[in-house]
Amino acid sequence: MSVSSAMLTRLERLGDRFNPIVVKEVRQALKSRQFVATFLLLLLAAWSATIFGVSYLGESIDYGSPAVIFYAGFLFALCTATLVIVPFSTFRSIVEERAETTLELLQITALSPVQIVRGKILNAMVQVLVYYCAIAPFIAFTALLPGFDIVHVTFSLVMLLITALCFSMIALAIGTQARNTTFQALSSLFVIAMAVGGMMTFFGFMTAAGSHIRFDESETWWTLALVVFLGLSTGFVCEQAAIAQLTFDSDNRSTGLRLATGAQWLICWIGLLTFLIVRQRPPMTSDVLTTILTLTTTQITAAGLLFVGMPDSLSRRVRRGLPRTRVLRVLWAPFLPGAARGMLYALLSLVLLALIVTVLFPQLTMTSILNDQQATQYAIALAAYSLIYLGAGTLLGRLLRRVAPRIQSFQILAILALVNLLLIVAAEVIHFLSRVTTPQLFDVVNPVLTLRTIADADRGSVDAVACIVVAAVVAIAANMSALWCGVRDIMKDPADSQSHPAGIVDGRA
Amino acid sequence: MTASNGNGDTPAIELCNLHRHFGRLRAVDGVSFKVYPGQVMGFIGPNGAGKTTAMRILATLDVPTDGEVFINGYSVVDDPDKVRRIVGFMPDSFGKYANMDVVEYVDFFARAHGLSGDIRRDAVERVLVFTELRKLANKSIKTLSKGMSQRLALGRTLVHDPAVLVLDEPAAGLDPRARIELRGLIHVLATDLQKTVLISSHILTELGEICDSAAIIEAGRLLASGTMTEILQAQRVSEGRADGPAISVRVLRDAEKLEHLLCQEPSVRNVELADQVATFEFTGVESELAAILRRLIRADLEVVEFRGRADSLEDAFMAITRGITQ
């Protein structure tokens, strides 16, 4: 056997270990006009920029910092390819699989949804690396010019790689949701807008502020770690959403997403705690803490609202995978599919967040909002709003599911948002007719206005908080029986349960 | 959980009171039937009858609203992973990929089914040889004709060597030659390779030739199922006929005399005369039929045609279905 044939055999054996989707997509990409055109355009742009730059600068190329200008040009070309073309082609890839019905063919093979999604993402990364290879000689050329900053170049290229990964994951998640042509067209526009906007922001930051970053300061690394974590964890949540979309109806579509969203905010808070303890910083101001609190509560509420729109019944297949002991089953309950268990998940997340803010933070970092009455009121109102939305979502989902058993989470969410919007408009109309401009109690239907009023410590905010808290208690009380049923359902022995095979609720069946 | 035939076999395919509702539309409404290993069953019904919906459930692409479906004893809802290893599903749409040639296409699906190394290479080769696509191995799949595409789709379905094949309209849109060739391939799969096949088609004459059993569905409901003999019997019952086959006799003249003579025969029923052709139902044995012909000729009737009209699947379909759509 010759050396080349032996190598080919080894390569083929190696190929057996790769995800089949990666093998297929790379084969397709290498033959596709879009990839070849992008690759050639990237090379052409870089060549043109180099030749134009060199001839324009002439002998002055040896003075000043021409490397910065050249690198900015190459980075722009690379950003366009990796942050716009690659995410969009990843989006198109899954949309075309659905349109050509090949997605169904994949779903009935031995490939799991995780393999399908990771294969698509890996293929995106392979394309990104090919574009990196194409631009590498030009970056090497800039290294010969004065003003070349290896640290900044490395930093920007690594950050670009991470951003491209996140963008591809987000684009893929959007692609898996787009089932009809109208939604596909609208989401195409959204993905392009997101990619172009993101690319411009990234490029703008890297060229304007990127070179001023002080890598010798530990705060820089903490900040970078936070940014990278937020980006990658958001990408991971999107990946879980894409996996859930491709998962078979009777399988568990929810646990992965619940764990991912829960881990995202929890790890951020642990990181924040660690930073404050390790760095021994002075206590954080209430403003900073309430801002972080607002972001976290919004994330928990948004995730919770998606979960509370799910049908409550569990399929036999999911039941079969439940832990054996009752205690473990109860502990696992918030992460299992179902609207009531979705509400429980959000409720427990809020309780955990409250514990961290009111007990752990003051103990470990001397930072507390409890000393600041205004901040405390704000936090209470924030949590109460979250509970009101979650409670209303759960209740609305239960009611709508009686008339339309196969209604989707996002449809329930849209109806809830519409109802809230109508209430806000009604409040504004009352303001207009009564010619009263100061905030009134009925303005509690507008969370943004109410929270701003509380933050500004306007008169009447105590009444508003009391009103919201009462509404939150009502929202929880209205769902107490559903919450109990959600947990009781899990406590049953899986072998005894007579659930529907696919977990479908259909009154007519 | 699953039933068995007289030989104690587990049915290869078993539908138990299968329902699939889309809002108010009952696409499949209480369908139950069994297909035993090695059988070829035709799944027949007009457009919108619920065939594709039921087949998608069998292929683990959809879940039932109610009822159970088993493949070799595995529930399609509880054990979709095991079912996918056993079932090969060929949908009515081909599912083409851009920038891919025939061998890459089959190779990809072999990889997707978890085959690796020499096993994968052998499987790809076996499929290309079986579907006679070896000479087109390096041709782009986008440029294949409809007939070749269907062969490739069949190859993709067979690449993991499934025991059960679910073929949804495999002959749709094919020219006569391609249809005959495809029919030949399915016949080989059933007879030589002992696959269990559930096949839907609108071309009933072809199904009649390759199927040993059939299920007729209309508006989501199962109207008849069983072996071909049982289906044809159901047709006769629905037409109010007895067990005997229909016979037609054509004479050059004296049709009234022919009718008169036939009515006198004890084993002849329901004589109908149209033009110079008399059609009747015969309930006797074959020697009696020969005697009837002899007597007609002795009576100086100029018989130019005397033939039995075998009941076909088409007749059964027309007799059993009522043309209901939903």
Side-chain angles (χ1 to χ4, degrees):
Chain A
M1 191 186 278
S2 69
V3 177
S4 60
S5 62
M7 191 174 274
L8 275 175
T9 313
R10 270 186 210 156
L11 278 173
E12 205 165 333
R13 276 190 198 145
L14 191 68
D16 280 340
R17 292 165 192 241
F18 286 144
N19 182 323
I21 300 283
V22 180
V23 177
K24 175 196 78 105
E25 301 254 332
V26 170
R27 275 175 175 170
Q28 280 181 287
L30 291 176
K31 290 183 192 173
S32 81
R33 281 185 202 157
Q34 175 252 313
F35 177 77
V36 174
T38 311
F39 189 83
L40 289 176
L41 277 173
L42 181 67
L43 282 179
L44 194 69
W47 266 111
S48 309
T50 311
I51 291 164
F52 176 77
V54 170
S55 51
Y56 180 77
L57 290 172
E59 287 185 359
S60 65
I61 200 165
D62 293 328
Y63 308 101
S65 300
V68 175
I69 302 161
F70 274 97
Y71 179 67
F74 300 144
L75 186 66
F76 184 79
L78 191 61
C79 282
T80 310
T82 56
L83 297 185
V84 180
I85 309 287
V86 171
F88 187 68
S89 69
T90 308
F91 166 81
R92 286 299 311 162
S93 162
I94 197 79
V95 165
E96 277 169 19
E97 293 265 19
R98 205 183 283 282
E100 292 283 340
T101 69
T102 47
L103 189 60
E104 291 192 342
L105 298 178
L106 293 183
Q107 284 173 317
I108 56 172
T109 63
L111 289 174
S112 65
V114 178
Q115 280 178 297
I116 297 172
V117 168
R118 299 241 162 102
K120 298 269 177 200
I121 292 166
L122 272 173
N123 172 55
M125 286 301 97
V126 169
Q127 285 189 48
V128 168
L129 290 178
V130 172
Y131 294 134
Y132 265 59
C133 292
I135 213 79
F138 300 98
I139 293 173
F141 159 73
T142 57
L144 303 171
L145 301 175
F148 183 78
D149 181 357
I150 184 75
V151 176
H152 172 239
V153 168
T154 311
F155 169 69
S156 58
L157 289 178
V158 170
M159 290 306 282
L160 179 60
L161 191 70
I162 293 167
T163 313
L165 175 66
C166 297
F167 276 30
S168 298
M169 284 168 156
I170 295 167
L172 190 69
I174 297 169
T176 53
Q177 314 285 328
R179 286 169 188 266
N180 60 55
T181 45
T182 314
F183 192 24
Q184 282 168 8
L186 289 174
S187 49
S188 292
L189 292 176
F190 178 76
V191 170
I192 292 172
M194 177 201 79
V196 172
M199 188 273 279
M200 297 305 282
T201 310
F202 180 88
F203 179 73
F205 175 79
M206 281 302 162
T207 47
S211 53
H212 302 299
I213 294 171
R214 299 285 304 270
F215 289 100
D216 52 347
E217 288 178 3
S218 64
E219 272 78 4
T220 305
W221 291 102
W222 280 98
T223 313
L224 275 177
L226 178 69
V227 170
V228 170
F229 175 76
L230 280 177
L232 287 178
S233 61
T234 305
F236 184 68
V237 168
C238 288
E239 188 201 62
Q240 290 300 314
I243 290 167
Q245 279 298 313
L246 302 186
T247 299
F248 188 50
D249 279 359
S250 68
D251 265 328
N252 186 348
R253 293 173 155 179
S254 197
T255 300
L257 203 50
R258 289 183 194 206
L259 287 171
T261 49
Q264 188 181 36
W265 73 261
L266 197 57
I267 292 173
C268 276
W269 278 85
I270 291 169
L272 183 65
L273 257 173
T274 315
F275 171 72
L276 293 172
I277 294 166
V278 171
R279 297 294 302 154
Q280 295 183 327
R281 307 278 298 186
M284 287 168 79
T285 62
S286 296
D287 285 350
V288 176
L289 194 58
T290 48
T291 305
I292 301 169
L293 203 58
T294 307
L295 290 172
T296 313
T297 311
T298 308
Q299 192 258 21
I300 292 170
T301 313
L305 282 172
L306 282 174
F307 302 142
V308 299
M310 302 176 109
D312 262 321
S313 60
L314 287 179
S315 71
R316 277 197 318 237
R317 190 166 158 80
V318 175
R319 254 175 219 289
R320 213 169 51 182
L322 291 179
R324 292 288 170 95
T325 63
R326 275 190 178 190
V327 178
L328 282 178
R329 282 208 296 276
V330 171
L331 287 176
W332 197 234
F335 300 104
L336 289 168
R341 287 177 290 271
M343 169 98 184
L344 188 65
Y345 162 85
L347 204 61
L348 291 177
S349 300
L350 289 172
V351 169
L352 185 61
L353 181 64
L355 280 175
I356 292 172
V357 174
T358 56
V359 180
L360 215 57
F361 247 64
Q363 289 286 325
L364 298 173
T365 67
M366 306 299 287
T367 301
S368 174
I369 53 168
L370 297 173
N371 306 328
D372 185 337
Q373 195 188 353
Q374 208 177 331
T376 311
Q377 276 188 20
Y378 180 89
I380 291 169
L382 193 67
Y385 267 121
S386 176
L387 291 173
I388 292 167
Y389 280 114
L390 291 164
T394 314
L395 203 61
L396 190 67
R398 275 216 316 278
L399 294 174
L400 289 173
R401 218 168 276 285
R402 285 186 190 166
V403 245
R406 297 190 74 80
I407 194 166
Q408 301 284 315
S409 285
F410 72 89
Q411 290 167 319
I412 295 169
L413 204 60
I415 293 169
L416 186 66
L418 193 70
V419 170
N420 194 194
L421 197 68
L422 286 174
L423 288 173
I424 292 169
V425 171
E428 290 301 316
V429 169
I430 294 170
H431 270 294
F432 178 75
L433 293 175
S434 61
R435 297 172 193 277
V436 177
T437 51
T438 51
Q440 301 295 310
L441 202 55
F442 57 74
D443 281 320
V444 292
V445 294
N446 188 341
V448 178
L449 181 72
T450 311
L451 288 172
R452 203 171 60 203
T453 309
I454 294 167
D456 294 343
D458 275 7
R459 276 188 308 117
S461 59
V462 176
D463 290 345
V465 173
C467 182
I468 303 161
V469 168
V470 168
V473 171
V474 171
I476 297 172
N479 289 292
M480 276 312 281
S481 73
L483 281 170
W484 167 240
C485 287
V487 178
R488 195 186 55 190
D489 196 24
I490 300 297
M491 284 161 72
K492 282 186 218 159
D493 191 343
D496 299 339
S497 59
Q498 289 294 313
S499 66
H500 184 273
I504 289 177
V505 181
D506 190 335
R508 283 179 291 274
Chain B
M1 213 64 158
T2 60
S4 61
N5 65 1
N7 303 325
D9 288 342
T10 303
I13 299 171
E14 184 178 9
L15 281 77
C16 307
N17 195 27
L18 178 67
H19 287 262
R20 183 66 175 101
H21 304 168
F22 298 103
R24 289 185 178 183
L25 177 75
R26 293 172 174 241
V28 180
D29 194 10
V31 171
S32 304
F33 63 79
K34 293 171 189 168
V35 189
Y36 287 97
Q39 270 191 335
V40 180
M41 179 177 260
F43 198 29
I44 310 159
N47 287 333
K51 302 185 298 291
T52 299
T53 307
M55 285 181 145
R56 283 172 59 80
I57 292 171
L58 279 166
T60 72
L61 281 172
D62 199 358
V63 286
T65 309
D66 202 5
E68 301 274 8
V69 177
F70 298 98
I71 305 281
N72 277 5
Y74 295 116
S75 162
V76 295
V77 175
D78 294 344
D79 296 298
D81 311 331
K82 287 173 183 160
V83 168
R84 284 167 192 165
R85 274 182 236 143
I86 306 166
V87 173
F89 177 53
M90 182 175 166
D92 52 356
S93 58
F94 174 55
K96 283 182 181 178
Y97 279 117
N99 306 307
M100 194 178 262
D101 57 38
V102 169
V103 71
E104 285 174 347
Y105 187 76
V106 180
D107 179 77
F108 165 62
F109 280 98
R111 285 173 193 268
H113 278 292
L115 306 181
S116 62
D118 290 339
I119 297 171
R120 190 188 76 241
R121 276 183 287 278
D122 291 346
V124 172
E125 189 60 29
R126 173 176 51 79
V127 159
L128 291 179
V129 169
F130 178 75
T131 53
E132 295 173 19
L133 287 168
R134 193 76 204 82
K135 56 186 178 296
L136 300 175
N138 296 316
K139 196 172 164 74
S140 166
I141 56 171
K142 286 272 182 189
T143 61
L144 291 181
S145 66
K146 177 80 183 171
M148 287 298 131
S149 295
Q150 288 300 82
R151 277 172 177 268
L152 183 57
L154 185 64
R156 176 196 67 213
T157 311
L158 292 171
V159 77
H160 61 299
D161 197 20
V164 177
L165 293 172
V166 179
L167 313 176
D168 190 9
E169 299 285 351
L174 296 186
D175 63 38
R177 171 173 284 277
R179 236 173 29 222
I180 291 163
E181 286 172 354
L182 189 72
R183 192 177 67 198
L185 290 179
I186 293 167
H187 184 72
V188 172
L189 285 170
T191 53
D192 298 355
L193 302 175
Q194 287 296 302
K195 306 280 183 199
T196 307
V197 183
L198 180 71
I199 178 170
S200 77
S201 178
H202 285 130
I203 305 157
L204 302 181
T205 46
E206 290 192 356
L207 278 189
E209 286 174 37
I210 55 172
C211 297
D212 40 37
S213 58
I216 299 178
I217 183 174
E218 186 175 48
R221 288 172 181 271
L222 189 74
L223 301 181
S225 74
T227 61
M228 294 308 257
T229 320
E230 287 166 349
I231 293 281
L232 297 177
Q233 169 67 16
Q235 175 212 349
R236 290 190 199 109
V237 170
S238 74
E239 287 178 345
R241 287 200 276 134
D243 286 344
I247 308 286
S248 66
V249 185
R250 188 161 72 89
V251 289
L252 285 179
R253 61 184 71 87
D254 296 335
E256 289 77 17
K257 188 180 172 183
L258 170 69
E259 188 186 16
H260 177 71
L261 284 171
L262 285 174
C263 288
Q264 288 178 341
E265 295 289 340
S267 54
V268 169
R269 287 182 196 170
N270 304 330
V271 181
E272 285 175 19
L273 192 65
D275 209 358
Q276 298 295 318
V277 180
T279 308
F280 62 89
E281 192 186 317
F282 178 70
T283 55
V285 292
E286 284 192 326
S287 58
E288 285 178 58
L289 197 59
I292 291 171
L293 177 60
R294 211 162 39 236
R295 282 194 283 278
L296 293 179
I297 291 166
R298 278 183 194 156
D300 291 335
L301 281 169
E302 292 172 301
V303 179
V304 288
E305 216 175 274
F306 188 93
R307 61 185 176 124
R309 191 173 60 85
D311 291 327
S312 68
L313 197 56
E314 267 183 4
D315 297 325
F317 179 75
M318 291 307 289
I320 292 167
T321 59
R322 284 155 287 173
I324 300 169
T325 50
Q326 52 173 0

